[in-house]
Amino acid sequence: MPSYKLIYFNLEGRGEILRYLFSYSNIEFEDRRLEFADWPALKPSIPYGQLPVVEIDGVIFNQSLAIGRYLAKKAGLIGKNDLDEIRVDAIIDTIDDFFSKFPWMDTDKAKKEFMDKSGIQLLAYLEKTLGNNSWFVGDSVTWADFYWDTCADCFENYLPGFAKDYPKLLALQERVKAIPAIASWIKKRPKKTQ
Ligand SMILES: N[C@@H](CCC(=O)N[C@@H](CS)C(=O)NCC(=O)O)C(=O)O
């Protein structure tokens, strides 16, 4: 088994999907959490100067979703056939587009305006995609369900109640959090700092 070290800040953010995937697969990993003050010194040595990265047997890999896909593939979470893989990736990329544009550092008013404008489109798309099914794609969990849960937790943190009118999406988060390996990770992970 290779050795894995996840390097990210001391928050959930873009690192949490990787922690979910490691936990779901029962893969041991070092969960290295940087203090913001230590980041400027480390940044020049990181490919593209952004986190998260994962060191696999000492080699650094960047881009959370590229690493996520590698782990999800090992875990059998990418979809059961080629077309389901497109569906899974499309959901993840759509959530990620939104995550990238979200005005994290802006005022509450700006966040609310962004959510009112673009968030409705995302939430309506996701709810329609989910329909009355238990999982976004096919009849079993994929990492698209995980990604929704980890990103939704981040949005909720900055904009409480952002998905309150989308009970099916909230129920999906509960289902993800009830998966034993995820429940056990959530129980033992450090307390939220973001
Ligand atoms: N697409 C990249 C985005 C990475 C990214 O934006 N990382 C942020 C934290 S979430 C970062 O490293 N910020 C510090 C910096 O850019 O110096 C990924 O998914 O890994």
Side-chain angles (χ1 to χ4, degrees):
M1 173 75 84
S3 79
Y4 292 100
K5 173 156 80 173
L6 166 67
I7 307 175
Y8 192 56
F9 301 106
N10 188 19
L11 43 82
E12 291 171 16
R14 286 187 181 278
E16 200 60 13
I17 182 64
L18 304 180
R19 299 186 186 111
Y20 268 35
L21 289 165
F22 280 126
S23 304
Y24 182 83
S25 305
N26 204 16
I27 295 176
E28 256 186 58
F29 70 105
E30 185 186 335
D31 188 17
R32 169 101 193 274
R33 292 169 180 253
L34 282 187
E35 295 305 324
F36 289 119
D38 297 332
W39 173 232
L42 187 70
K43 186 174 165 87
S45 67
I46 297 292
Y48 206 62
Q50 288 196 315
L51 299 177
V53 295
V54 169
E55 252 184 60
I56 307 177
D57 284 340
V59 180
I60 298 183
F61 294 89
N62 67 317
Q63 286 293 351
S64 58
L65 297 185
I67 304 161
R69 199 164 291 113
Y70 159 87
L71 293 172
K73 205 176 204 172
K74 285 182 179 300
L77 288 173
I78 55 172
K80 286 189 177 151
N81 56 52
D82 290 348
L83 292 182
D84 278 357
E85 275 185 45
I86 300 183
R87 293 183 178 103
V88 167
D89 285 346
I91 292 164
I92 290 170
D93 288 350
T94 305
I95 297 172
D96 195 64
D97 278 354
F98 185 81
F99 191 101
S100 299
K101 289 179 196 142
F102 192 82
W104 298 104
M105 299 310 199
D106 221 321
T107 58
D108 285 355
K109 186 168 173 272
K111 289 190 189 87
K112 173 88 176 51
E113 277 170 11
F114 182 78
M115 196 48 87
D116 287 346
K117 210 173 104 209
S118 311
I120 304 300
Q121 193 187 355
L122 174 76
L123 293 166
Y125 160 80
L126 291 176
E127 195 166 68
K128 190 161 179 233
T129 304
L130 179 62
N132 289 319
N133 303 313
S134 296
W135 311 106
F136 277 131
V137 178
D139 55 6
S140 55
V141 68
T142 67
W143 73 300
D145 304 302
F146 286 9
Y147 200 54
W148 160 242
D149 183 44
T150 60
C151 291
D153 278 355
C154 295
F155 302 137
E156 177 68 23
N157 216 34
Y158 283 85
L159 213 57
F162 84 100
K164 66 176 174 6
D165 297 332
Y166 297 81
K168 289 178 187 168
L169 294 178
L170 295 176
L172 173 56
Q173 281 198 267
E174 305 265 302
R175 270 193 293 283
V176 169
K177 286 188 164 69
I179 293 170
I182 302 298
S184 133
W185 164 250
I186 289 173
K187 208 167 158 195
K188 74 176 185 202
R189 73 185 170 188
K191 223 171 149 289
K192 256 189 188 148
T193 58
Q194 83 216 62

